[in-house]
Amino acid sequence: MKRLLQLNWVNATIFSLFVSSFALAQNNTNTTCATALPVCPDNNFGLNIPSEIGSQNTANEAPGTNYGCNSSQPNPLWYYMRVSTTGTAIFDLTQYTGMDQTGQGLDVDFTVWGPFESEHACNELTADNVVDSSYDPTAFEVIDFYSGDGCGPEPTENPQVVNAGEVYIIMITNFSRQAGYINLIPRPEMTATFDCSILGPTYSFCDYDGNGEETVNLDNYIDEISGGDANIGVTFHSTSEGAYNYTDTVEPIQTFTLDEALTVFARLENFTTGEVEVVIISFNLIPEPEMQDTTISFCDNNGDGVEIFDLTVADVNANDEQELELSYYTSQEAADEGNPENAIEDPTYYSAADGTVIYVRGDAGDCYGTSTITLEVVESIVLNAVEDSVCDLDGDGVEVFNLNDYTSEILGTNQGNIRFYLNEADAIAWNDNYITDVEAYETDSVVLYVALSAEGGCESTTTLTLNVLDAPQVNDVAEAYAYCDLFNDGTETVDLTVAFADVIADTTGFTATYYLNEADAVAGNENNIANPASYDLTGTTTVYINVSAGDCSDVAMVTFELTDGIPVNDVTLNVCYADNGQGTFDLTTANVSDVGTVTYYTSEANAMNGTNPIENATSYTASVPSVVYAQVADEECVSIAEINLAYFAQPDLNIPAEVSICSGYSEIVDAGAGFETYNWSTGETTQSIEVDELGAYWVDVTDANGCTFRHNFSVVPGNAPTIANIEVGQNSFTVVAEGGVEPYEYSLGGFIFQDSNVFGNLHQGTYNIYVRGADGCVSELEVASILSWPTMFTPNGDGINDTWRVPGLEVYPGSYIRIFDRYGAIVHEATVDSNVLWDGRDLSGNKVSTQDYWYILEVSDGRKYSGHVTVKNRTEKGR
């Protein structure tokens, strides 16, 4: 049996601890059932109850109280809890000399009563209501709400079901009589939940002004605590026992700090029933959250300018000691409002473009702060492919490389971590199959794959090619490379690189550089021959070849010699001109050389290589002009000569294709001087002939080269112009012509021609008008008149001025005249085909009286005249 010892727990204080623990009010003297404190095991906090040796050895409860297994109750602490949702309940109860279950274990015991409808059941702590109890002399107990397992160590754990609304009262005793800490911890497998509202209200304040303290007036909370019921009196006390006993009252004005929260006990007394209820009220001050702006960078690996960000990785908490509940928003206004419905739903997978700003809200109780996250989508990184070659000086086929030496060249201006792999798949996967001995990596020639992992998720791969080359072993070439001066111009383009394969047995992996100076070759500097494959060789030249592989090289000496070619001549062969642009040549007639064997080729390259010779050299048809190459060879050398294929130009006889002759005329056709012979289609053999008949003609001329050329031409009728119109002015003609060959010439009478088609200052009379074309053909005659008439005539039959005449009108037959007296009556009208307009008689054939008459003359060419004429009839009486 346990010995009965007295243990006094003084000023028990509750501290928040770790996950899967308990929450409890602070600074309580809950040493009786009546002063039991509410607890809420919500799987988030635990109890660290400081226990000290006291003088109370037994619980002072009502008669009939049954304490289960605990016949003695040293220094009891009383609690009660209310079930929120039905489920199984099981707790670990421990006591140690140190906090958080550290140090030496101390004996702890307990008894649980229930279930009750409320915590006011101190008179019902009977044996029937004991649901679990233990006095196991260890520092570890299990509370599983099962009384069937006795008072000693529990053979099995048998958590019982507790139901929503039930209240259980717990007494915990310290049998060890040593100061320590008691922990009551809910098991993870517990399924029941408990009502935390019984703990009473907690008021949190944010320390926005940063002074570390806050002052409240407790009287301001009376209506909220009492529910506004005027029949309930509210007083405030520093202990729960004081609240029950109406002692330890506190002033309404209270100050609490960041380091020390304020807990008071409100006594609620019903003035009508006398019932008393104690409510725990807590006030705590929370520091304003310290937030900081930050940036998240992520690599745009797919190049679309948008990436997926995990916003939760951003370090926005500026104080690692503060615990913040973070939420993420797309605007400052939404962050300040703090509505969860407006928060980003999944901040671990947020798609955004470069420059997007996210607003973070950090909540700590009723306090919050904000900061920003700037999202950067950075360009993907391109690594440089690097290749290096080293010489295998010891001939073992391998060399040692420090791979770190290539890091800066591979990265360029980029930054990040790189690894070296033997295959590309591992590099892309960034797995652990990378090369670890990077500072002394021994290998033969190999291609390594380099992988980069950089800030912001940037990934990239490239290659590092390492070549282990054999050391070159070169030899001088004693015999000179002799070249013939093909064109005898003192220079020949040769390929120096033909010597590469002769100075080293295997050229694989080696580079040859060519020099004219041995010192330059040994130094391997830039004074090398720029284009050794096309080098203009003159005379005898010594060439030094630097054969290199990586950092090793050797120099060989070779000689190139240019010998005189066979004397050759460039020749031109001509043929007479052919209309189809081709000619047939006997190439063997070209005297290109007096020695050697001559072979003919269509190209210089074929002639130099001796390929594809022309087979029909004595009758070779080719486009003219063109070039054929003659290869002249003897036993020692070859030379090349050019045979230019040309033609004698066809002479220009200056005879037009069509020679026109005007009707009744002839034309002289001249073939030009300078030809050996002339032969015309007319049978004539002179330089020129006269033609006066239409038809086809030709002439054959033979030049000094013996080439005969035929020129064809035709004699066609000339195209004389036509006078389309003659515009007659008061004393001028304007002639309009068409057809024929322009430009025209114009003439009055056909003897003297002028360029202008206008003739002015003409006198009255009739004129013969001609137009001559540029080919000499003259138009048909056209006649025109400048008209003028007298203003009086005397039709008296004396033979003098008896009729009214207009000289020249006869060339306009069909003209029409009308004559009126002074009263407007027509006295004469007629169509005129001569130059006589009127004989002075009226329509009845009678002579008209002496007076003035008016007329209208319409000339057949369109002219129209009007005026008056005076008739003087001296024999009027004898009409």
Side-chain angles (χ1 to χ4, degrees):
M1 295 222 17
K2 288 185 178 179
R3 291 177 295 169
L4 297 180
L5 299 176
Q6 190 174 23
L7 180 66
N8 182 25
W9 289 4
V10 181
N11 194 21
T13 303
I14 312 304
F15 295 87
S16 297
L17 267 187
F18 41 81
V19 177
S20 298
S21 46
F22 238 77
L24 184 65
Q26 298 179 346
N27 300 327
N28 297 317
T29 54
N30 50 322
T31 58
T32 67
C33 176
T35 60
L37 295 177
V39 291
C40 175
D42 62 355
N43 287 343
N44 287 322
F45 297 95
L47 299 180
N48 269 306
I49 306 171
S51 56
E52 298 181 0
I53 300 174
S55 59
Q56 184 176 346
N57 290 319
T58 60
N60 298 317
E61 301 304 321
T65 297
N66 186 286
Y67 297 101
C69 300
N70 294 291
S71 57
S72 64
Q73 308 90 38
N75 298 327
L77 293 177
W78 293 77
Y79 304 95
Y80 69 88
M81 62 180 69
R82 179 181 294 137
V83 180
S84 179
T85 58
T86 300
T88 58
I90 183 170
F91 299 91
D92 289 333
L93 177 64
T94 64
Q95 183 175 218
Y96 292 87
T97 56
M99 294 180 63
D100 304 336
Q101 305 181 83
T102 60
Q104 178 185 349
L106 302 176
D107 185 10
V108 65
D109 303 307
F110 72 92
T111 300
V112 180
W113 294 269
F116 305 113
E117 293 183 358
S118 74
E119 66 274 19
H120 305 296
C122 293
N123 294 326
E124 303 176 40
L125 306 182
T126 63
D128 293 338
N129 290 331
V130 174
V131 297
D132 200 358
S133 183
S134 174
Y135 63 89
D136 184 20
T138 66
F140 182 84
E141 300 277 6
V142 177
I143 302 176
D144 58 7
F145 294 77
Y146 178 63
S147 60
D149 50 11
C151 293
E154 296 187 8
T156 60
E157 296 173 358
N158 191 9
Q160 298 298 298
V161 173
V162 293
N163 298 301
E166 295 177 346
V167 175
Y168 292 87
I169 297 175
I170 303 174
M171 178 189 69
I172 301 174
T173 63
N174 180 2
F175 194 79
S176 71
R177 293 181 176 83
Q178 296 184 51
Y181 294 91
I182 295 175
N183 292 271
L184 182 61
I185 306 169
R187 287 279 188 91
E189 62 266 28
M190 185 173 70
T191 62
T193 62
F194 292 82
D195 185 3
C196 292
S197 65
I198 64 176
L199 299 178
T202 297
Y203 299 97
S204 296
F205 294 81
C206 189
D207 187 23
Y208 286 119
D209 56 11
N211 64 356
E213 65 179 23
E214 191 72 28
T215 299
V216 295
N217 187 341
L218 299 177
D219 290 343
N220 293 336
Y221 298 89
I222 290 177
D223 286 344
E224 182 178 346
I225 296 170
S226 65
D229 190 346
N231 196 43
I232 295 178
V234 179
T235 56
F236 299 98
H237 306 264
S238 60
T239 65
S240 60
E241 185 176 9
Y244 280 108
N245 298 328
Y246 202 73
T247 60
D248 301 328
T249 59
V250 297
E251 295 295 327
I253 304 300
Q254 293 289 322
T255 298
F256 53 99
T257 67
L258 288 171
D259 298 326
E260 185 175 358
L262 172 65
T263 300
V264 296
F265 299 86
R267 172 189 173 93
L268 282 70
E269 182 177 358
N270 190 308
F271 296 143
T272 301
T273 64
E275 293 181 354
V276 173
E277 180 180 2
V278 176
V279 176
I280 304 172
I281 304 175
S282 298
F283 297 88
N284 58 69
L285 184 61
I286 302 173
E288 179 184 4
E290 297 179 46
M291 305 283 287
Q292 60 188 4
D293 296 337
T294 189
T295 299
I296 302 178
S297 298
F298 205 86
C299 194
D300 187 14
N301 290 314
N302 61 2
D304 63 353
V306 177
E307 280 300 327
I308 304 299
F309 292 85
D310 181 358
L311 305 179
T312 63
V313 303
D315 185 13
V316 295
N317 189 342
N319 184 353
D320 293 337
E321 295 183 0
Q322 63 184 357
E323 294 185 7
L324 300 179
E325 180 180 356
L326 302 178
S327 52
Y328 304 84
Y329 300 85
T330 58
S331 70
Q332 182 66 53
E333 181 181 3
D336 289 331
E337 182 181 352
N339 186 345
E341 294 182 358
N342 296 330
I344 294 173
E345 184 175 355
D346 185 1
T348 66
Y349 193 85
Y350 185 71
S351 177
D354 181 51
T356 300
V357 177
I358 300 300
Y359 300 86
V360 188
R361 177 187 176 107
D363 286 284
D366 292 336
C367 292
Y368 81 93
T370 63
S371 64
T372 61
I373 305 173
T374 301
L375 306 182
E376 290 183 343
V377 179
V378 299
E379 292 184 1
S380 59
I381 293 177
V382 178
L383 298 177
N384 298 315
V386 175
E387 182 173 2
D388 190 22
S389 299
V390 298
C391 186
D392 182 20
L393 298 177
D394 56 8
D396 63 353
V398 296
E399 283 297 319
V400 176
F401 296 85
N402 185 343
L403 303 184
N404 290 333
D405 292 342
Y406 305 101
T407 299
S408 60
E409 186 176 359
I410 292 171
L411 287 175
T413 59
N414 302 304
Q415 293 184 346
N417 298 319
I418 64 172
R419 291 176 176 176
F420 299 89
Y421 294 85
L422 286 172
N423 68 71
E424 187 175 16
D426 288 337
I428 294 174
W430 187 261
N431 59 30
D432 292 336
N433 297 328
Y434 57 89
I435 297 170
T436 56
D437 53 339
V438 293
E439 293 184 355
Y441 182 64
E442 186 176 61
T443 182
D444 57 3
S445 295
V446 69
V447 176
L448 300 180
Y449 296 88
V450 186
L452 167 75
S453 178
E455 183 179 353
C458 283
E459 300 172 352
S460 185
T461 59
T462 189
T463 58
L464 170 60
T465 303
L466 302 176
N467 301 311
V468 179
L469 304 179
D470 294 334
Q473 300 294 325
V474 301
N475 302 293
D476 296 338
V477 178
E479 185 176 354
Y481 295 87
Y483 290 87
C484 192
D485 188 359
L486 296 179
F487 295 98
N488 290 297
D489 58 359
T491 182
E492 194 66 34
T493 300
V494 300
D495 184 1
L496 304 180
T497 64
V498 297
F500 188 19
D502 294 333
V503 301
I504 188 169
D506 184 2
T507 62
T508 304
F510 295 99
T511 301
T513 308
Y514 301 80
Y515 295 86
L516 295 175
N517 179 280
E518 184 177 11
D520 289 334
V522 171
N525 58 32
E526 296 181 356
N527 297 325
N528 56 294
I529 297 172
N531 188 5
S534 182
Y535 179 73
D536 292 334
L537 178 65
T538 58
T540 300
T541 302
T542 300
V543 176
Y544 302 90
I545 305 176
N546 178 305
V547 180
S548 63
D551 294 332
C552 59
S553 64
D554 200 358
V555 175
M557 182 181 71
V558 297
T559 302
F560 289 84
E561 183 179 67
L562 182 64
T563 62
D564 293 336
I566 300 173
V568 294
N569 305 304
D570 291 340
V571 178
T572 297
L573 296 180
N574 288 283
V575 294
C576 294
Y577 176 80
D579 289 337
N580 61 3
Q582 290 188 330
T584 300
F585 301 84
D586 182 356
L587 302 179
T588 63
T589 63
N591 185 20
V592 295
S593 180
D594 296 331
V595 296
T597 302
V598 181
T599 310
Y600 306 91
Y601 299 88
T602 58
S603 71
E604 183 178 356
N606 284 339
M608 295 176 66
N609 298 323
T611 57
N612 302 317
I614 295 173
E615 296 181 355
N616 54 338
T618 60
S619 181
Y620 177 67
T621 300
S623 298
V624 181
S626 60
V627 179
V628 169
Y629 297 88
Q631 181 201 74
V632 182
D634 61 15
E635 295 179 354
E636 296 181 355
C637 197
V638 172
S639 290
I640 308 295
E642 293 184 0
I643 302 176
N644 296 295
L645 305 181
Y647 56 80
F648 295 116
Q650 182 176 4
D652 184 4
L653 300 186
N654 200 26
I655 298 176
E658 290 185 345
V659 177
S660 62
I661 59 173
C662 301
S663 178
Y665 291 87
S666 64
E667 189 73 30
I668 300 297
V669 180
D670 190 348
F675 295 101
E676 300 296 315
T677 62
Y678 301 87
N679 185 21
W680 297 87
S681 56
T682 62
E684 297 167 272
T685 59
T686 56
Q687 177 178 326
S688 63
I689 63 172
E690 183 178 0
V691 294
D692 58 4
E693 293 182 2
L694 305 180
Y697 294 79
W698 52 261
V699 61
D700 288 340
V701 294
T702 302
D703 63 13
N705 298 311
C707 293
T708 299
F709 302 98
R710 172 167 290 188
H711 182 80
N712 296 289
F713 64 97
S714 298
V715 177
V716 297
N719 185 10
T722 301
I723 297 176
N725 186 32
I726 300 173
E727 298 175 3
V728 182
Q730 183 176 357
N731 60 350
S732 66
F733 295 136
T734 299
V735 182
V736 179
E738 61 184 18
V741 181
E742 297 188 46
Y744 302 133
E745 293 178 315
Y746 306 86
S747 175
L748 295 181
F751 298 102
I752 300 174
F753 286 84
Q754 65 180 35
D755 293 335
S756 174
N757 66 335
V758 177
F759 299 93
N761 298 318
L762 301 179
H763 299 289
Q764 181 270 330
T766 300
Y767 296 86
N768 295 330
I769 302 175
Y770 299 90
V771 177
R772 183 169 65 190
D775 59 355
C777 292
V778 180
S779 68
E780 297 291 335
L781 169 66
E782 290 290 340
V783 180
S785 298
I786 299 297
L787 301 178
S788 178
W789 46 81
T791 59
M792 181 188 69
F793 70 100
T794 58
N796 55 9
D798 61 1
I800 301 172
N801 202 24
D802 285 334
T803 59
W804 189 34
R805 294 174 179 273
V806 178
L809 186 60
E810 67 274 10
V811 300
Y812 301 104
S815 297
Y816 185 70
I817 185 69
R818 286 179 293 168
I819 299 175
F820 306 86
D821 62 14
R822 66 175 177 266
Y823 301 108
I826 294 178
V827 296
H828 177 74
E829 63 179 340
T831 298
V832 181
D833 292 326
S834 67
N835 63 1
V836 178
L837 290 178
W838 188 26
D839 60 359
R841 294 182 184 275
D842 62 14
L843 295 175
S844 300
N846 299 318
K847 291 184 177 181
V848 298
S849 61
T850 297
Q851 62 177 340
D852 289 340
Y853 292 87
W854 282 260
Y855 64 87
I856 298 176
L857 174 61
E858 297 177 11
V859 184
S860 60
D861 66 355
R863 287 176 285 169
K864 190 173 184 179
Y865 301 94
S866 63
H868 64 85
V869 62
T870 303
V871 177
K872 289 188 178 182
N873 199 340
R874 297 175 180 172
T875 59
E876 289 182 358
K877 292 182 180 182
R879 278 184 222 183

